[in-house]
Amino acid sequence: MDIERLEDLVRVVGKAKLVLDLSCRKKDGKYIIVTDRWQKFSDIALDEKTLDTLSMYADEYLVHGVDVEGKRLGIDEELVSLLGRCSPISVTYAGGATTLADLDSIREAGAGSVDATVGSALDIFGGNLPYEEVIAWHQKQQIGA
């Protein structure tokens, strides 16, 4: 990871306008940041230290759970839990959400501090999860917050 480039980005556009995409895959029991269409493992583990260090260069993280992304097989609860425990800044999780129960699991595993995206599972993208139900779920969460 090129910290100098991150510093340059912060200088040019400001930390408040930066979201870091930390796509990761599990390898040898750790989540490792991946690049090049999620095929190349970096040497950087996604852990509390990395999340803390990188928080100086972004306002939010977008974390793709690559092992489940786009497969409609459910979420990676272990990864969501890690994000909920360790991210010092806002974080949005992407990967595997197929049902409203998956959104509930993200809320629970992430201790209420992890946001979520839903992609290919949405009916507007050819999936089975009705977009309107996701909107209603989100609105219900806002009322309960």
Side-chain angles (χ1 to χ4, degrees):
M1 184 169 306
D2 190 339
I3 295 297
E4 286 183 27
R5 288 183 92 182
L6 286 173
E7 290 171 345
D8 287 345
L9 279 170
V10 170
R11 218 176 0 265
V12 171
V13 300
K15 177 185 174 203
K17 295 181 180 177
L18 293 175
V19 176
L20 289 181
D21 181 336
L22 303 175
S23 299
C24 61
R25 293 175 60 195
K26 200 163 193 184
K27 181 179 180 183
D28 300 326
K30 295 180 181 178
Y31 290 99
I32 306 296
I33 296 173
V34 292
T35 62
D36 298 331
R37 295 186 201 105
W38 303 339
Q39 300 304 305
K40 183 179 177 186
F41 284 91
S42 73
D43 59 352
I44 302 168
L46 186 70
D47 56 22
E48 184 173 9
K49 181 180 176 188
T50 299
L51 291 167
D52 190 51
T53 299
L54 293 177
S55 71
M56 295 184 293
Y57 306 102
D59 195 52
E60 182 175 346
Y61 296 128
L62 170 62
V63 178
H64 290 267
V66 174
D67 294 319
V68 297
E69 177 80 25
K71 297 178 181 174
R72 299 185 200 170
L73 298 174
I75 66 163
D76 185 333
E77 284 192 41
E78 184 180 351
L79 176 56
V80 173
S81 178
L82 169 77
L83 297 172
R85 286 190 325 273
C86 299
S87 183
I89 60 177
S90 296
V91 59
T92 298
Y93 167 82
T98 304
T99 65
L100 295 179
D102 287 331
L103 297 179
D104 288 333
S105 293
I106 292 168
R107 187 187 67 240
E108 292 168 21
S113 63
V114 177
D115 293 323
T117 65
V118 181
S120 61
L122 287 173
D123 60 352
I124 60 174
F125 297 126
N128 296 323
L129 183 58
Y131 174 76
E132 294 300 326
E133 287 184 19
V134 173
I135 295 299
W137 180 91
H138 177 73
Q139 289 171 339
K140 182 180 173 186
Q141 305 312 304
Q142 295 302 305
I143 292 169

